[in-house]
Coordinates of all heavy atoms in Angstrom, one line a residue:
L29 N -5.4 7.5 -17.8 CA -5.3 6.0 -17.6 C -4.1 5.6 -16.8 O -4.2 4.7 -15.9 CB -5.3 5.3 -19.0 CG -6.6 5.3 -19.8 CD1 -6.5 4.5 -21.1 CD2 -7.8 4.6 -19.0
L30 N -3.0 6.2 -17.1 CA -1.8 5.9 -16.3 C -1.9 6.3 -14.8 O -1.5 5.7 -14.0 CB -0.6 6.6 -17.0 CG -0.2 6.1 -18.3 CD1 0.9 7.0 -19.0 CD2 0.3 4.6 -18.3
F31 N -2.6 7.5 -14.6 CA -2.8 8.0 -13.3 C -3.7 7.0 -12.5 O -3.5 6.6 -11.4 CB -3.4 9.3 -13.3 CG -2.5 10.5 -13.5 CD1 -2.8 11.6 -14.2 CD2 -1.1 10.4 -13.1 CE1 -1.9 12.6 -14.4 CE2 -0.2 11.4 -13.3 CZ -0.6 12.5 -14.0
V32 N -4.8 6.6 -13.2 CA -5.7 5.6 -12.6 C -5.1 4.3 -12.3 O -5.2 3.7 -11.2 CB -7.0 5.4 -13.5 CG1 -7.8 4.3 -13.0 CG2 -7.8 6.7 -13.6
S33 N -4.2 3.8 -13.2 CA -3.5 2.6 -13.0 C -2.5 2.7 -11.9 O -2.0 1.7 -11.4 CB -2.9 2.1 -14.4 OG -1.9 3.0 -14.7
N34 N -2.0 3.9 -11.6 CA -1.0 4.1 -10.5 C -1.7 4.4 -9.2 O -1.8 3.5 -8.4 CB -0.1 5.2 -11.0 CG 1.1 5.4 -10.1 OD1 1.2 4.7 -9.1 ND2 2.1 6.2 -10.5
S35 N -2.3 5.6 -9.1 CA -2.9 6.0 -7.8 C -4.2 5.2 -7.6 O -4.4 4.7 -6.5 CB -3.2 7.5 -7.9 OG -2.0 8.2 -7.9
G36 N -5.1 5.1 -8.6 CA -6.3 4.4 -8.4 C -6.2 3.0 -8.1 O -6.8 2.5 -7.2
A37 N -5.2 2.3 -8.8 CA -5.0 0.9 -8.5 C -4.4 0.7 -7.2 O -4.7 -0.3 -6.5 CB -4.2 0.3 -9.6
L38 N -3.5 1.5 -6.8 CA -2.8 1.5 -5.5 C -3.9 1.6 -4.4 O -3.9 0.7 -3.5 CB -1.8 2.6 -5.3 CG -1.1 2.6 -4.0 CD1 -0.3 1.4 -3.7 CD2 -0.2 3.9 -3.9
C39 N -4.8 2.5 -4.5 CA -5.9 2.7 -3.5 C -6.8 1.5 -3.5 O -7.1 0.9 -2.4 CB -6.6 4.0 -3.7 SG -5.7 5.5 -3.5
S40 N -7.3 1.1 -4.6 CA -8.3 0.0 -4.7 C -7.7 -1.3 -4.3 O -8.4 -2.0 -3.4 CB -8.8 -0.1 -6.1 OG -9.4 1.2 -6.5
F41 N -6.6 -1.7 -4.8 CA -6.0 -3.0 -4.5 C -5.6 -3.0 -3.0 O -5.9 -4.1 -2.4 CB -4.8 -3.2 -5.4 CG -4.0 -4.5 -5.1 CD1 -4.5 -5.7 -5.5 CD2 -2.8 -4.5 -4.4 CE1 -3.9 -6.9 -5.3 CE2 -2.2 -5.7 -4.1 CZ -2.7 -6.9 -4.6
S42 N -5.1 -2.0 -2.5 CA -4.7 -2.0 -1.1 C -5.9 -2.1 -0.2 O -5.8 -2.9 0.8 CB -3.9 -0.7 -0.8 OG -2.8 -0.6 -1.5
F43 N -6.9 -1.4 -0.5 CA -8.2 -1.5 0.3 C -8.7 -2.9 0.3 O -9.2 -3.4 1.3 CB -9.2 -0.5 -0.2 CG -10.5 -0.5 0.6 CD1 -10.4 0.0 1.9 CD2 -11.6 -0.9 0.1 CE1 -11.6 0.1 2.6 CE2 -12.8 -0.9 0.8 CZ -12.8 -0.4 2.1
I44 N -8.8 -3.5 -0.9 CA -9.3 -4.9 -1.0 C -8.4 -5.9 -0.2 O -8.9 -6.7 0.6 CB -9.3 -5.4 -2.5 CG1 -10.4 -4.6 -3.2 CG2 -9.6 -6.8 -2.6 CD1 -10.4 -4.8 -4.7
V45 N -7.1 -5.7 -0.3 CA -6.2 -6.6 0.5 C -6.4 -6.4 2.0 O -6.5 -7.4 2.8 CB -4.7 -6.3 0.1 CG1 -3.8 -7.0 1.1 CG2 -4.4 -6.8 -1.3
L46 N -6.6 -5.2 2.4 CA -6.8 -4.9 3.8 C -8.1 -5.5 4.3 O -8.1 -6.1 5.4 CB -6.8 -3.4 4.1 CG -5.4 -2.7 4.1 CD1 -5.6 -1.2 4.1 CD2 -4.6 -3.1 5.3
M47 N -9.2 -5.3 3.6 CA -10.5 -5.8 4.0 C -10.5 -7.4 4.0 O -11.0 -8.0 5.0 CB -11.5 -5.3 3.1 CG -11.9 -3.9 3.2 SD -12.4 -3.3 4.8 CE -10.9 -2.6 5.5
I48 N -9.8 -8.0 3.1 CA -9.7 -9.5 3.1 C -8.9 -9.9 4.3 O -9.3 -10.9 5.0 CB -9.1 -10.0 1.8 CG1 -10.0 -9.7 0.6 CG2 -8.7 -11.5 1.9 CD1 -9.4 -10.1 -0.8
S49 N -7.8 -9.2 4.6 CA -7.0 -9.7 5.7 C -7.7 -9.5 7.0 O -7.6 -10.4 7.9 CB -5.7 -8.8 5.8 OG -6.0 -7.5 6.0
Y50 N -8.5 -8.5 7.2 CA -9.3 -8.3 8.4 C -10.5 -9.2 8.5 O -10.8 -9.6 9.6 CB -9.7 -6.8 8.6 CG -8.6 -5.9 9.0 CD1 -8.1 -4.9 8.2 CD2 -7.9 -6.1 10.2 CE1 -7.1 -4.0 8.6 CE2 -6.8 -5.4 10.6 CZ -6.4 -4.3 9.8 OH -5.4 -3.5 10.2
I51 N -11.0 -9.6 7.4 CA -12.1 -10.6 7.5 C -11.5 -12.0 7.9 O -12.1 -12.7 8.8 CB -12.7 -10.8 6.0 CG1 -13.6 -9.6 5.7 CG2 -13.6 -12.0 6.0 CD1 -14.1 -9.5 4.3
V52 N -10.3 -12.3 7.4 CA -9.7 -13.6 7.8 C -9.3 -13.5 9.3 O -9.5 -14.4 10.1 CB -8.4 -13.8 7.0 CG1 -7.6 -14.9 7.6 CG2 -8.7 -14.0 5.5
I53 N -8.9 -12.3 9.8 CA -8.5 -12.1 11.2 C -9.7 -12.3 12.1 O -9.7 -13.0 13.1 CB -7.9 -10.8 11.4 CG1 -6.5 -10.8 10.8 CG2 -7.7 -10.5 12.9 CD1 -5.8 -9.4 10.8

């Protein structure tokens, strides 16, 4: 759970932020 909240969350959150930013762009 700690690994998922660290690596998994980093990947998922970053990907969502990137996709939202490029949609806005």
Side-chain angles (χ1 to χ4, degrees):
L29 286 180
L30 294 174
F31 282 148
V32 170
S33 64
N34 192 350
S35 294
L38 177 64
C39 292
S40 301
F41 179 74
S42 300
F43 183 68
I44 292 171
V45 169
L46 283 173
M47 290 301 101
I48 291 175
S49 65
Y50 283 119
I51 288 172
V52 173
I53 291 172

